């Protein structure tokens, strides 16, 4: 193979690892036994890529707020993390908001995106609250809760364990009497006055 | 005994201790009101109830610390205190002046078992009185073998003399507390008492008390040169033993437990006299007090009461600090009560603590890094703290900062470094708590999914039981089965099928029609929203609509992917 021919093939060759490897083998005339090596190399390469993608998904999942709300269009935070690792835009998580987007952008080494308003708006953390006087004890909200944070039994009043509620909103819709509302989450640890930041030097 | 032992960094500071260390500890008059923070402790008394000194007012909450009545009187009110250091409810006790004790039953500690002693320490509500406030009973029940008990009598911060006075006046009780602590810790091989060289009287008193106690163990009083912050727990341990407490670790990780002398005194009072922790020694110091002194202050005493006893002159006070000049925090409210960790109130004049200069940009002189006793990089930490880069802050071990303030003290640009770190630490801790909550949510979500899978497996098992088909695969390990033993085989078979077989048509059709219904419903709702609807409502509906569409699409795709024939499994009685 002449060098001119090699150059014309260069862009295509760069497109995939496999092509490049085959080409290199051809150039150096090691086709016969090198083919097998290349196959093995490619196998390891693809497996490595899959492993890398899985690891990336796990790292992304660690950055997600674990609200399990499905607002991103995926049934839970892990599937969303996998989709992002596979190339889906990472601006679909309203509970995580800008902080989560920035963290994922940081991880992926790409500029951050604006939150996609299709999937909701960023807001304060909420928790579900059941107006107990109105609850009829239908148990319909119980299976909707992704983290089993609603306590109740048939014809018994239900209540939300606020400390475990992720604020995903999924219990609001199944309620036939609309007695569940989302209220601002109680502040876990108020910053003390002495923990306020001093001004920065000009 | 050892190679040269030192800790990195540190600074020499003017001590300013003589003003308050010359006079004996005073007992102030009873204040008109005592303010006792309740936290989330459960109150056991009602408003108006008479209470006796030492009576339990509230059972321990999440911090494990009970609240006792520091004197006899009655509960005037239980109120919300928004300006407190930690906002929350507090009980207000009006003393009757009689100091009538509740019933005490002192038992010779030597005759009691270790669990009994530990329970007594817990019931007495003792915490580390050096400033940490860590519950003492937890430290006394170590999970690691302890070979060295370190006693902290350093008191390295200027102006503060509470421990100095206590050692001079109550050395016998401190030594008794030390021996109780040693017994609870499984008799460590040696006890090292660290005292700074500017407190010769205290060292002499402790030596005399030790001679009286005649303890067979190796107990050494080590007089150490004054260098701030030699009284920091980690710094003192390094000075005395040469061991470094690991980053993020505790002294017990290197076989050491460290107690402040005030804590040992409280321990002795609790175990030998059956007295809960009701008071502590507080230094009132600074040029704006005409009579600086130490006070045996009942917990809950308003700071103003102690200041008045020391002839406080507000006009001369430039800065009123809760704590010493290095680590103290500004005290806005002089009615704030003395707590278990209040060791000093400093009313400093402008000559003593000049007003903070305007911070200038960092000139990278590196003085801060030279004096940092934790070997941190204060310049890097400042940069990351200003940028709120919490990951970098954690990587640079921000949480190992002990707030000693040496960096800010030497900074020629007058940057309040330690204030930045304190704020950043609070943020990092809040983030960690958030991350912990997210992990908890993930675990609960996974448990929820496992349960749903198990229940659906059990349902199909009931169906399978009717026809008894066998399966080729084992049950998936992720779906534990806890049904009656008779059904186990059937369950496993069904679970295996549920895991391996192609999905059945009927549930998918149900999912599709449910999704379609939901889409229709949501579209109607969305259309019905009028102009008054908020953007949030609209977006919420849209997001749910989108979810319903996705669910529908998924069900449709799966239905298309099914083999043309319906699955052979009979769809018995669909729910």
């Amino acid at each position: 193979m002449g060098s001119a021919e090699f150059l014309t093939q260069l862009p295509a060759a760069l497109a995939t690892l496999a092509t490049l490897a085959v080409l290199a083998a051809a150039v150096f005339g090691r086709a016969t036994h090198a083919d097998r090596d290349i196959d093995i190399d490619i196998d390891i390469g693809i497996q490595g890529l899959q492993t890398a993608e899985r690891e990336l998904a796990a790292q992304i999942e660690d950055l997600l707020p674990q609200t399990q709300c499905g607002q991103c269009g995926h049934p839970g935070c892990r599937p969303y993390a996998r989709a992002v690792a596979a190339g889906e835009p990472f601006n679909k998580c309203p509970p995580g908001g800008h902080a989560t987007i920035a963290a994922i952008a940081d991880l992926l080494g790409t500029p951050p995106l604006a939150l996609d308003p299709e999937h909701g708006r960023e807001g304060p953390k909420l928790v579900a609250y059941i107006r107990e006087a109105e609850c009829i004890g239908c148990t319909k909200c119980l299976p909707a809760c992704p983290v089993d944070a609603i306590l109740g039994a048939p014809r018994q009043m239900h209540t939300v364990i606020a400390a475990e509620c992720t604020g995903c909103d999924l219990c609001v819709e199944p309620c036939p009497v609309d007695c569940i509302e989302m209220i601002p989450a109680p502040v876990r640890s108020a910053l003390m006055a002495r923990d306020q930041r001093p001004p920065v030097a000009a | 005994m050892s190679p040269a032992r030192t800790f990195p960094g540190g600074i020499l500071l003017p001590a300013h201790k003589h003003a308050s260390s010359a006079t004996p500890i005073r007992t102030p008059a009873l204040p008109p009101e005592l303010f006792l923070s309740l936290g989330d402790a459960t109150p056991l008394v009602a408003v108006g109830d008479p209470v006796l000194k030492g009576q339990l007012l509230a059972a321990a909450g999440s911090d494990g610390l009970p609240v006792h009545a520091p004197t006899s009187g009655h509960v005037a009110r239980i109120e919300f205190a928004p300006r407190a250091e930690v906002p929350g409810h507090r009980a207000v006790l009006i003393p009757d002046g009689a100091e009538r004790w509740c019933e005490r039953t002192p038992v010779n500690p030597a005759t009691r078992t270790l669990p009994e002693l530990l329970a007594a320490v817990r019931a007495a509500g003792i915490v580390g009185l050096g400033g940490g406030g860590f519950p003492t009973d937890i430290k006394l029940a170590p999970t690691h073998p302890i070979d060295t008990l370190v006693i902290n009598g350093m008191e390295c911060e200027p102006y503060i003399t509470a421990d100095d006075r206590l050692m001079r006046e109550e050395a016998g009780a401190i030594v008794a507390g030390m021996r109780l602590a040693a017994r609870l810790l499984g008799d460590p091989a040696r006890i090292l008492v660290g005292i700074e060289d500017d407190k010769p009287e205290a060292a002499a008193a402790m030596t005399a008390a030790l001679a009286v106690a005649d303890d067979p163990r190796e107990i050494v009083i080590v007089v150490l040169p004054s260098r701030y912050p030699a009284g920091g727990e980690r710094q003192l341990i390094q000075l005395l033993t040469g061991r470094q407490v690991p980053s993020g670790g505790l002294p017990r990780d290197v076989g050491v437990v460290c107690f402040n002398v005030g804590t040992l005194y409280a321990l002795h009072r609790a175990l030998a006299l059956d007295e809960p922790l009701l008071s502590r020694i507080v230094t009132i110091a600074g040029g704006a007090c005409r009579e600086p002194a130490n006070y045996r202050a009942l917990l809950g005493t308003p700071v103003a009461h102690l200041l008045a006893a020391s002839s406080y002159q507000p006009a001369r006070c430039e800065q009123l600090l809760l704590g010493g000049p290095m680590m103290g925090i500004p005290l806005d409210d002089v009615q704030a009560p003395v707590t278990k960790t209040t060791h000093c109130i400093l009313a400093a004049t402008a000559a003593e603590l000049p007003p903070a200069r305007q911070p200038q940009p960092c000139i990278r002189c590196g003085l801060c890094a030279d004096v940092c006793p934790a070997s941190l990089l204060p310049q890097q930490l400042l940069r990351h703290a200003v940028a709120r880069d919490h990951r970098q802050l954690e990587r640079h071990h921000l949480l190992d900062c002990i707030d000693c303030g040496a960096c800010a003290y030497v900074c020629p640009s007058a940057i309040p470094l330690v204030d930045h770190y304190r704020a950043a630490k609070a943020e990092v801790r809040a983030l960690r708590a958030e991350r912990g909550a997210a992990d908890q949510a993930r675990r609960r979500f996974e448990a929820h999914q496992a349960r749903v899978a198990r229940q659906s497996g059990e349902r199909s098992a009931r169906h399978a039981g009717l026809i008894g088909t066998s399966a080729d695969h084992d049950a998936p390990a992720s779906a534990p089965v806890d049904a009656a033993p008779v059904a186990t085989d059937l369950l496993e078979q069904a679970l295996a099928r549920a895991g391996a077989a192609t999905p059945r048509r009927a549930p998918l059709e149900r999912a599709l029609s449910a999704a379609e219904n939901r889409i229709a419903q949501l579209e109607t709702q969305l259309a019905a929203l009028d102009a008054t609807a908020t953007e949030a409502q609209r977006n919420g509906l849209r997001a749910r609509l989108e979810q319903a569409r996705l669910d529908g699409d998924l069900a449709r795709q799966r239905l298309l992917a099914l083999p043309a024939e319906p699955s052979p499994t009979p769809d018995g009685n669909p729910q």
Side-chain angles (χ1 to χ4, degrees):
Chain A
M1 189 184 290
S3 66
E5 199 177 343
F6 172 70
L7 281 176
T8 56
Q9 286 192 10
L10 192 59
L14 284 174
T16 65
L17 180 67
T19 327
L20 182 64
V22 169
L23 198 64
V27 167
F28 295 108
R30 292 175 57 216
T32 44
H33 69 272
D35 276 348
R36 215 167 32 239
D37 290 351
I38 289 161
D39 280 351
I40 292 165
D41 282 343
I42 291 167
D43 275 356
I44 291 169
I46 290 169
Q47 269 173 12
L49 280 176
Q50 285 173 339
T51 315
E53 194 173 304
R54 266 202 300 276
E55 277 169 9
L56 183 63
Q59 281 174 311
I60 293 169
E61 196 192 351
D62 283 341
L63 299 176
L64 296 176
Q66 303 298 328
T67 317
Q68 317 293 355
C69 61
Q71 290 185 69
C72 53
H74 297 275
C77 294
R78 182 169 296 166
Y80 176 52
R82 287 194 184 136
V84 171
E88 200 174 294
F90 53 86
N91 59 352
K92 301 183 177 180
C93 176
H98 298 294
T100 297
I101 291 175
I104 298 177
D106 196 27
L107 177 70
L108 300 178
T110 57
L113 307 167
L115 182 65
D116 186 349
E118 282 279 295
H119 295 272
R121 287 276 168 91
E122 184 175 2
K125 184 178 172 350
L126 301 173
V127 291
Y129 172 74
I130 296 179
R131 288 191 299 272
E132 292 172 350
E134 294 165 41
C135 174
I136 55 169
C138 71
T139 73
K140 284 193 172 160
C141 56
L142 303 189
C145 178
V147 291
D148 289 333
I150 307 178
L151 205 62
R155 288 180 300 283
Q156 306 294 320
M157 183 177 74
H158 303 348
T159 196
V160 175
I161 308 168
E164 306 291 356
C165 175
T166 64
C168 70
D169 195 19
L170 293 175
C171 55
V172 174
E173 198 191 341
C175 179
V177 292
D178 277 336
C179 73
I180 307 183
E181 60 182 309
M182 303 303 295
I183 60 169
V187 181
R188 248 174 231 267
S189 59
L191 283 184
M192 283 189 262
R194 68 185 206 203
D195 293 333
Q196 296 306 312
R197 283 173 167 276
V200 182
Chain B
M1 173 172 100
S2 64
R5 287 162 176 167
T6 182
F7 65 91
I11 45 178
L12 293 174
L13 293 172
H16 295 297
K17 293 197 185 233
H18 291 294
S20 59
S21 67
T23 45
I25 297 172
R26 296 179 180 181
T27 303
L30 281 174
E33 285 184 328
L34 294 172
F35 300 97
L36 300 157
S37 169
L38 295 176
D40 60 353
T42 316
L44 302 174
V45 289
V47 171
D49 279 3
V51 293
L52 297 171
K53 184 173 179 126
Q55 183 183 334
L56 190 61
L57 292 185
S62 54
D63 57 2
L65 297 170
V67 182
H68 298 92
T71 183
S72 59
H74 70 276
V75 180
R77 47 190 196 277
I78 291 178
E79 62 188 13
F80 187 74
R83 292 178 70 191
E85 206 180 330
V86 183
H89 282 86
R90 65 183 185 185
V92 181
L93 191 149
I94 295 189
D96 59 8
E99 291 267 58
R100 265 176 301 138
W101 270 95
C102 66
E103 199 185 328
R104 282 171 291 171
T105 49
V107 183
N108 181 2
T111 63
R112 301 173 85 183
T113 63
L114 294 187
E116 278 171 6
L117 289 174
L118 269 185
V121 174
R122 192 175 312 130
I126 300 179
V127 301
L129 298 181
F134 192 77
T136 298
D137 62 291
I138 298 177
K139 258 171 138 178
L140 281 171
T143 48
H144 301 47
I146 301 299
D147 64 10
T148 308
L149 171 60
V150 166
I151 310 300
N152 191 342
M154 300 290 283
E155 202 160 51
C156 59
E157 200 171 354
Y159 289 96
I160 310 175
T161 56
D163 290 348
D164 183 6
R165 278 316 313 185
L166 190 69
M167 282 189 282
R168 290 195 211 182
E169 296 177 31
E170 301 282 358
I174 293 171
V175 169
M178 175 198 304
R179 298 175 69 185
L180 285 169
R183 191 182 149 209
L184 278 159
L185 290 168
D187 289 308
R190 56 181 178 161
I191 303 179
L192 303 175
V193 185
I195 300 178
E196 272 197 348
D197 59 4
D198 60 358
K199 290 183 262 302
E201 297 92 343
M206 290 293 287
T207 311
L210 272 179
V212 172
D214 192 25
D215 196 292
R217 276 175 292 236
E218 183 196 346
I219 305 183
V220 187
I221 294 185
V222 189
V223 176
L224 294 159
S226 304
R227 179 162 62 114
Y228 182 82
E233 185 177 62
R234 288 162 182 248
Q235 285 68 37
L236 180 60
I237 289 170
Q238 203 171 347
L239 280 170
L240 290 175
T241 68
R243 299 179 198 167
Q244 264 194 332
V245 179
S247 168
L250 289 171
R252 65 181 185 202
D253 298 335
V254 292
V256 179
V257 166
C258 178
F259 285 111
N260 167 267
V261 288
T263 314
L264 296 177
Y265 176 70
L267 193 66
H268 165 73
R269 306 284 295 187
L271 295 182
L273 307 173
D274 194 22
E275 279 184 25
L277 179 59
L278 303 181
S279 66
R280 67 156 299 140
I281 314 297
V282 182
T283 304
I284 304 291
C289 291
R290 220 177 291 153
E291 299 169 53
N294 284 290
Y295 293 89
R296 192 181 300 275
L298 295 179
L299 301 177
T301 305
V303 166
H305 186 72
L306 300 179
L307 285 170
S310 271
S311 310
Y312 168 58
Q313 299 159 290
R316 297 187 57 204
C317 184
E318 167 67 28
Q319 283 189 58
L320 187 62
L321 296 179
L322 179 65
M326 298 299 289
M327 296 181 65
I329 54 173
L331 185 67
D332 309 323
D333 179 13
V334 288
Q335 289 303 320
V338 167
T339 67
K340 290 176 182 177
T341 53
T342 310
H343 51 355
C344 178
I345 305 292
L346 180 65
T349 59
E352 291 171 310
L353 279 186
R357 284 188 290 137
Q358 180 65 31
Q360 303 291 315
C362 173
I363 57 168
R364 299 241 162 213
C365 65
L367 281 179
C368 50
D370 289 345
V371 300
C372 179
S375 303
L376 302 177
L377 296 171
Q379 295 174 2
Q380 296 299 97
L381 285 173
L382 175 68
R383 214 168 57 124
H384 296 312
V386 170
R388 293 176 196 242
D389 189 338
H390 298 112
R391 209 183 319 161
Q392 283 291 351
L393 284 170
E394 285 196 61
R395 209 171 285 163
H396 283 83
H397 304 289
L398 171 70
L399 295 185
D400 284 343
C401 167
I402 59 165
D403 282 9
C404 73
C407 50
Y409 181 79
V410 297
C411 180
S413 290
I415 302 171
L417 289 158
V418 73
D419 295 348
H420 282 283
Y421 305 150
R422 212 179 270 145
K425 273 196 276 191
E427 288 166 12
V428 168
R429 291 209 187 92
L431 268 181
R432 283 195 172 181
E434 223 169 82
R435 235 177 288 162
D439 281 345
Q440 166 83 345
R442 169 161 48 188
R443 279 193 296 276
R444 290 182 70 94
F445 179 55
E446 281 162 6
H448 170 91
Q449 285 182 311
R451 180 174 55 78
V452 169
R454 192 187 69 219
Q455 284 174 339
S456 90
E458 283 167 355
R459 230 181 350 261
S460 38
R462 281 197 293 277
H463 301 161
L466 300 173
I467 54 166
T469 354
S470 71
D472 310 325
H473 302 274
D474 288 328
S478 63
V481 177
D482 50 5
V486 199
T488 308
D489 282 357
L490 290 173
L491 265 180
E492 277 178 5
Q493 291 164 14
L495 279 172
R497 232 192 2 267
T502 49
R504 287 172 301 142
R505 185 168 288 273
L508 287 175
E509 279 167 351
R510 277 202 301 275
L512 181 59
S513 76
E516 278 166 352
N517 284 341
R518 240 161 77 217
I519 291 169
Q521 209 177 347
L522 284 163
E523 273 170 348
T524 333
Q525 280 180 32
L526 200 56
L529 280 183
D530 53 21
T532 59
T534 64
E535 197 59 19
Q537 283 174 328
R538 220 177 284 277
N539 282 329
L541 277 179
R542 277 190 204 125
R544 271 188 262 160
L545 184 59
E546 187 58 27
Q547 180 64 43
R549 284 193 181 125
L550 284 164
D551 290 351
D553 288 349
L554 189 68
R556 212 170 284 126
Q557 279 168 21
R558 289 213 181 133
L559 269 176
L560 288 176
L562 280 185
E565 274 175 50
S567 161
T569 315
D571 194 15
N573 40 355
Q575 279 283 21

